[in-house]
Amino acid sequence: MINWLWGQVIAIFPKWRELYPAPDDIEAGKCMWLETLVQQGVTSDVLIKFGLMACRASGYVRPVSPGQFCVWAWEWAMRDARIPTLEDAARMINRKLASPSLKLDGAMYHLWSILDGHALRSANYKAVRDAVETAHAEVIRHWLSGAPWNEPVNVEPEQALPHLPTEPTRASRNMQSILAQLRA
């Protein structure tokens, strides 16, 4: 796998020989890339392909570090999963707080379901930002686990429980008799 990846990297970056001029440098570079990929969890074909797509899109002529490759791989995978950046998530939550009828879906609905919207409505900007940051990290952990997102529950009118009037309580009957006496 690392030999295939190395072939892709040198095909993308034409000035790779500036960083790896000798065969020993190439072997050391492969070892460094392999260690970094394993440490950062970029070991699946999908993540590696996302990293390569990001490298192609970068326009760089010299190879990026393996750490940068991993960061790009995760960023592109998160974008593919429609997980917003922390800044975008904070912006969306502030919009949701300002306009409660705003509909959210996917990762953003999941993030909103983690937050306490009632408490955030009266919170200051820093408190909202801190809460969103914590929830954003939780959304990423949830995504990495492979579990599905929380989804809004749709209740069809025909499936809803009927709304029946309740029987008047003794206190409400007393209030009604007092009102009747006052009217008379």
Side-chain angles (χ1 to χ4, degrees), residues 107 118 122 125 128 168:
H118 295 290
S122 60
Y125 177 79
V128 171

Side-chain angles (χ1 to χ4, degrees), residues 93-119:
I93 293 302
N94 281 320
R95 283 183 51 209
K96 176 73 174 169
L97 290 170
S99 175
S101 63
L102 179 68
K103 301 289 184 210
L104 301 174
D105 64 347
M108 278 306 300
Y109 180 82
H110 189 90
L111 190 143
W112 177 252
S113 69
I114 294 170
L115 296 170
D116 181 2
H118 295 290

Side-chain angles (χ1 to χ4, degrees), residues 100-160:
S101 63
L102 179 68
K103 301 289 184 210
L104 301 174
D105 64 347
M108 278 306 300
Y109 180 82
H110 189 90
L111 190 143
W112 177 252
S113 69
I114 294 170
L115 296 170
D116 181 2
H118 295 290
L120 291 180
R121 286 193 202 330
S122 60
N124 63 23
Y125 177 79
K126 173 126 176 56
V128 171
R129 174 69 179 196
D130 291 345
V132 170
E133 187 173 353
T134 302
H136 189 263
E138 178 59 34
V139 164
I140 292 172
R141 276 193 294 281
H142 185 83
W143 170 65
L144 290 173
S145 75
W149 300 123
N150 293 344
E151 292 291 332
V153 177
N154 291 328
V155 178
E156 301 296 328
E158 61 272 3
Q159 295 176 342

Side-chain angles (χ1 to χ4, degrees), residues 1-172:
M1 180 64 142
I2 194 66
N3 289 331
W4 174 83
L5 176 60
W6 193 260
Q8 295 297 313
V9 168
I10 64 174
I12 294 170
F13 301 110
K15 294 194 175 193
W16 65 272
R17 287 201 187 271
E18 290 179 7
L19 296 176
Y20 307 103
D24 290 342
D25 296 329
I26 294 172
E27 289 306 313
K30 286 181 183 179
C31 288
M32 182 177 61
W33 272 72
L34 183 59
E35 288 174 10
T36 305
L37 292 174
V38 170
Q39 286 173 354
Q40 299 296 316
V42 181
T43 54
S44 71
D45 293 346
V46 174
L47 283 171
I48 290 173
K49 288 178 182 174
F50 279 131
L52 289 171
M53 289 187 325
C55 286
R56 286 185 193 98
S58 72
Y60 294 171
V61 292
R62 288 178 187 79
V64 295
S65 69
Q68 182 63 57
F69 179 88
C70 293
V71 167
W72 284 348
W74 282 114
E75 284 176 355
W76 280 53
M78 287 174 44
R79 188 180 322 151
D80 185 63
R82 297 186 55 218
I83 299 173
T85 64
L86 178 58
E87 292 75 26
D88 290 343
R91 202 172 304 119
M92 283 294 283
I93 293 302
N94 281 320
R95 283 183 51 209
K96 176 73 174 169
L97 290 170
S99 175
S101 63
L102 179 68
K103 301 289 184 210
L104 301 174
D105 64 347
M108 278 306 300
Y109 180 82
H110 189 90
L111 190 143
W112 177 252
S113 69
I114 294 170
L115 296 170
D116 181 2
H118 295 290
L120 291 180
R121 286 193 202 330
S122 60
N124 63 23
Y125 177 79
K126 173 126 176 56
V128 171
R129 174 69 179 196
D130 291 345
V132 170
E133 187 173 353
T134 302
H136 189 263
E138 178 59 34
V139 164
I140 292 172
R141 276 193 294 281
H142 185 83
W143 170 65
L144 290 173
S145 75
W149 300 123
N150 293 344
E151 292 291 332
V153 177
N154 291 328
V155 178
E156 301 296 328
E158 61 272 3
Q159 295 176 342
L161 294 174
H163 182 71
L164 302 174
T166 58
E167 185 176 316
T169 63
R170 189 172 65 153
S172 67

